[in-house]
Protein backbone atom coordinates (compact mmCIF):
# COMPACT_ATOMS: atom_id res chain seq x y z
CA UNK A 1 0.00 0.00 0.00
CA UNK A 2 2.83 2.38 0.85
CA UNK A 3 4.37 1.64 -2.55
CA UNK A 4 1.12 2.61 -4.28
CA UNK A 5 1.00 5.83 -2.28
CA UNK A 6 4.58 6.65 -3.24
CA UNK A 7 3.96 6.00 -6.96
CA UNK A 8 0.77 8.08 -6.97
CA UNK A 9 2.52 10.87 -5.07
CA UNK A 10 5.41 10.96 -7.54
CA UNK A 11 3.02 11.07 -10.51
CA UNK A 12 1.02 13.89 -8.93
CA UNK A 13 4.24 15.74 -8.14
CA UNK A 14 5.32 15.51 -11.78
CA UNK A 15 1.97 16.82 -12.98
CA UNK A 16 2.06 19.69 -10.48
CA UNK A 17 5.61 20.63 -11.49
CA UNK A 18 4.67 20.82 -15.17
CA UNK A 19 1.56 22.85 -14.40
CA UNK A 20 3.50 25.23 -12.16
CA UNK A 21 6.34 25.61 -14.67
CA UNK A 22 3.88 26.58 -17.40
CA UNK A 23 2.03 29.00 -15.11
CA UNK A 24 5.23 30.53 -13.75
CA UNK A 25 6.68 30.96 -17.23
CA UNK A 26 3.49 32.71 -18.34
CA UNK A 27 3.77 35.03 -15.34
CA UNK A 28 7.39 35.85 -16.16
CA UNK A 29 6.47 36.47 -19.80
CA UNK A 30 3.72 38.88 -18.73
CA UNK A 31 6.17 40.84 -16.58
CA UNK A 32 8.85 40.96 -19.28
CA UNK A 33 6.32 42.00 -21.94
CA UNK A 34 4.90 44.72 -19.69
CA UNK A 35 8.41 46.03 -19.04
CA UNK A 36 9.18 46.14 -22.77
CA UNK A 37 6.03 48.07 -23.64
CA UNK A 38 6.56 50.37 -20.67
CA UNK A 39 9.82 51.48 -22.32
CA UNK A 40 8.55 51.45 -25.92
CA UNK A 41 5.53 53.61 -25.13
CA UNK A 42 7.78 56.36 -23.74
CA UNK A 43 10.20 56.53 -26.69
CA UNK A 44 9.70 59.01 -29.53
CA UNK A 45 10.81 57.90 -32.97
CA UNK A 46 12.76 61.10 -33.59
CA UNK A 47 14.85 60.43 -30.47
CA UNK A 48 15.82 56.99 -31.78
CA UNK A 49 16.67 58.47 -35.17
CA UNK A 50 19.00 61.03 -33.65
CA UNK A 51 21.33 58.36 -32.26
CA UNK A 52 23.69 57.24 -35.02
CA UNK A 53 25.00 53.70 -35.42
CA UNK A 54 28.64 54.62 -34.81
CA UNK A 55 28.37 57.83 -32.83
CA UNK A 56 26.13 60.19 -30.93
CA UNK A 57 26.52 58.34 -27.62
CA UNK A 58 27.26 61.55 -25.75
CA UNK A 59 24.26 63.39 -27.19
CA UNK A 60 20.96 64.40 -25.70
CA UNK A 61 19.01 61.72 -27.60
CA UNK A 62 21.18 58.92 -26.24
CA UNK A 63 20.93 60.26 -22.70
CA UNK A 64 17.16 60.48 -23.06
CA UNK A 65 16.90 56.81 -24.08
CA UNK A 66 19.07 55.75 -21.15
CA UNK A 67 16.97 57.86 -18.80
CA UNK A 68 13.76 56.21 -20.01
CA UNK A 69 15.18 52.72 -19.47
CA UNK A 70 16.61 53.54 -16.04
CA UNK A 71 13.37 55.14 -14.85
CA UNK A 72 11.35 52.20 -16.15
CA UNK A 73 13.57 49.56 -14.54
CA UNK A 74 13.96 50.85 -11.01
CA UNK A 75 16.57 48.89 -9.09
CA UNK A 76 14.35 48.93 -5.99
CA UNK A 77 12.37 46.06 -7.52
CA UNK A 78 14.40 42.80 -7.52
CA UNK A 79 12.82 41.49 -10.73
CA UNK A 80 13.93 44.54 -12.72
CA UNK A 81 17.52 44.03 -11.59
CA UNK A 82 17.49 40.75 -13.52
CA UNK A 83 16.39 42.30 -16.83
CA UNK A 84 18.37 43.60 -19.77
CA UNK A 85 17.03 46.18 -22.20
CA UNK A 86 18.35 47.22 -25.61
CA UNK A 87 17.01 49.73 -28.14
CA UNK A 88 17.47 48.34 -31.65
CA UNK A 89 17.02 49.71 -35.14
CA UNK A 90 17.31 48.71 -38.79
CA UNK A 91 19.75 50.47 -41.08
CA UNK A 92 18.37 52.81 -43.76
CA UNK A 93 18.44 50.08 -46.42
CA UNK A 94 16.76 47.62 -44.07
CA UNK A 95 19.48 45.03 -44.57
CA UNK A 96 21.34 45.37 -41.27
CA UNK A 97 20.42 46.17 -37.69
CA UNK A 98 22.20 47.61 -34.71
CA UNK A 99 21.67 48.66 -31.09
CA UNK A 100 21.52 52.36 -30.33
CA UNK A 101 21.28 52.20 -26.51
CA UNK A 102 21.60 49.74 -23.65
CA UNK A 103 20.18 49.71 -20.14
CA UNK A 104 23.65 49.00 -18.76
CA UNK A 105 25.02 51.85 -20.92
CA UNK A 106 27.65 49.77 -22.67
CA UNK A 107 29.82 52.01 -24.84
CA UNK A 108 29.15 52.08 -28.56
CA UNK A 109 26.81 50.00 -30.69
CA UNK A 110 27.09 46.42 -31.82
CA UNK A 111 26.85 46.37 -35.57
CA UNK A 112 25.47 44.45 -37.26
CA UNK A 113 23.05 42.36 -35.21
CA UNK A 114 23.52 38.61 -35.45
CA UNK A 115 21.37 36.75 -37.93
CA UNK A 116 18.70 35.67 -35.43
CA UNK A 117 18.17 39.13 -33.94
CA UNK A 118 18.24 40.76 -37.35
CA UNK A 119 15.46 38.50 -38.63
CA UNK A 120 13.38 39.22 -35.53
CA UNK A 121 13.81 42.98 -35.95
CA UNK A 122 12.94 42.74 -39.65
CA UNK A 123 9.81 40.78 -38.76
CA UNK A 124 8.72 43.50 -36.33
CA UNK A 125 9.29 46.23 -38.91
CA UNK A 126 7.19 44.23 -41.36
CA UNK A 127 4.35 42.95 -39.13
CA UNK A 128 4.38 45.68 -36.43
CA UNK A 129 3.95 42.93 -33.84
CA UNK A 130 6.10 41.73 -30.94
CA UNK A 131 8.40 38.71 -31.27
CA UNK A 132 9.27 36.21 -28.52
CA UNK A 133 12.43 34.15 -28.25
CA UNK A 134 12.58 31.49 -25.51
CA UNK A 135 16.33 30.96 -25.76
CA UNK A 136 18.57 33.91 -26.57
CA UNK A 137 22.13 32.77 -25.84
CA UNK A 138 25.32 34.79 -25.54
CA UNK A 139 28.50 34.71 -23.49
CA UNK A 140 26.69 36.05 -20.40
CA UNK A 141 23.93 33.42 -20.32
CA UNK A 142 20.63 32.26 -21.80
CA UNK A 143 17.61 34.53 -21.80
CA UNK A 144 13.86 34.57 -22.33
CA UNK A 145 13.38 37.63 -24.53
CA UNK A 146 10.75 39.75 -26.25
CA UNK A 147 11.13 42.47 -28.86
CA UNK A 148 8.38 45.08 -29.27
CA UNK A 149 7.98 47.91 -31.80
CA UNK A 150 8.50 51.64 -31.32
CA UNK A 151 6.13 53.57 -33.59
CA UNK A 152 6.49 56.98 -35.22
CA UNK A 153 3.63 59.45 -35.66
CA UNK A 154 2.47 57.81 -38.89
CA UNK A 155 2.21 54.37 -37.30
CA UNK A 156 5.35 52.97 -38.88
CA UNK A 157 7.99 51.09 -36.90
CA UNK A 158 10.99 53.31 -36.12
CA UNK A 159 12.79 51.09 -33.63
CA UNK A 160 12.58 48.05 -31.42
CA UNK A 161 12.82 47.55 -27.65
CA UNK A 162 14.36 44.22 -26.62
CA UNK A 163 13.90 43.05 -23.03
CA UNK A 164 14.97 39.73 -21.55
CA UNK A 165 15.53 37.83 -18.33
CA UNK A 166 17.95 34.97 -17.67
CA UNK A 167 16.27 31.57 -17.73
CA UNK A 168 18.07 30.53 -14.53
CA UNK A 169 15.53 32.69 -12.65
CA UNK A 170 12.79 30.28 -13.72
CA UNK A 171 14.96 27.19 -13.21
CA UNK A 172 16.07 28.18 -9.70
CA UNK A 173 12.52 28.92 -8.59
CA UNK A 174 11.32 25.54 -9.85
CA UNK A 175 14.23 23.75 -8.18
CA UNK A 176 13.40 25.30 -4.82
CA UNK A 177 9.74 24.42 -5.29
CA UNK A 178 10.60 20.83 -6.17
CA UNK A 179 12.62 20.49 -2.98
CA UNK A 180 9.73 21.79 -0.87
CA UNK A 181 7.19 19.57 -2.62
CA UNK A 182 9.45 16.50 -2.29
CA UNK A 183 9.87 17.08 1.45
CA UNK A 184 6.11 17.52 1.79
CA UNK A 185 5.53 14.24 -0.03
CA UNK A 186 8.02 12.43 2.23
CA UNK A 187 6.25 13.76 5.31
CA UNK A 188 2.82 12.77 3.96
CA UNK A 189 4.03 9.26 3.07
CA UNK A 190 5.53 8.83 6.56
CA UNK A 191 2.29 9.98 8.17
CA UNK A 192 0.27 7.57 6.02
CA UNK A 193 2.67 4.77 6.95
CA UNK A 194 2.39 5.54 10.66
CA UNK A 195 -1.40 5.76 10.53
CA UNK A 196 -1.62 2.55 8.49
CA UNK A 197 0.64 0.75 10.96
CA UNK A 198 -1.47 1.89 13.89
CA UNK A 199 -4.71 0.92 12.16
CA UNK A 200 -3.41 -2.53 11.23
CA UNK A 201 -2.08 -3.04 14.74
CA UNK A 202 -5.42 -2.03 16.22
CA UNK A 203 -7.29 -4.33 13.82
CA UNK A 204 -4.98 -7.20 14.68
CA UNK A 205 -5.48 -6.65 18.40
CA UNK A 206 -9.25 -6.50 17.93
CA UNK A 207 -9.20 -9.83 16.08
CA UNK A 208 -7.18 -11.42 18.87
CA UNK A 209 -9.57 -9.96 21.46
CA UNK A 210 -12.61 -11.41 19.65
CA UNK A 211 -11.00 -14.84 19.35
CA UNK A 212 -10.19 -14.88 23.04
Amino acid sequence: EIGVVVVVSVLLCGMLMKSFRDSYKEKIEEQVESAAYMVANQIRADVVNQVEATGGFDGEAYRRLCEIMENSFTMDIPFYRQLYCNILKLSEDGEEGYAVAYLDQSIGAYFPLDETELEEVKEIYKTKKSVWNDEVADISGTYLSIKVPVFNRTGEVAGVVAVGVETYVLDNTLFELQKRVFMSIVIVVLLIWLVSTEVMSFASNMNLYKKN
Side-chain angles (χ1 to χ4, degrees), residues 20-29 134 144 170:
F20 178 81
R21 183 181 184 87
D22 293 341
S23 298
Y24 188 75
K25 183 181 178 184
E26 289 177 3
K27 182 65 176 178
I28 290 292
E29 288 177 347
D134 289 337
L144 172 70
L170 175 62

Side-chain angles (χ1 to χ4, degrees), residues 1 11 16 25 37 48 58 68 71 78 93 107 111-112 119 134 141 153 155 164 175 185 187-188 190 203:
E1 293 182 359
L11 291 175
L16 287 172
K25 183 181 178 184
Y37 277 109
V48 177
D58 290 325
I68 289 172
N71 290 340
D93 59 10
I107 298 173
F111 186 99
E119 289 305 313
D134 289 337
R153 292 181 179 178
F175 179 71
I185 289 175
I187 293 172
V188 169
L190 287 174

Side-chain angles (χ1 to χ4, degrees), residues 1 7 16-17 60 74 90 96 102 115 154 161 190-191:
E1 293 182 359
V7 171
L16 287 172
M17 287 301 97
E60 179 62 30
T74 172
L90 279 182
E96 293 183 310
Y102 313 76
E115 184 177 343
T154 62
V161 174
L190 287 174
L191 288 174

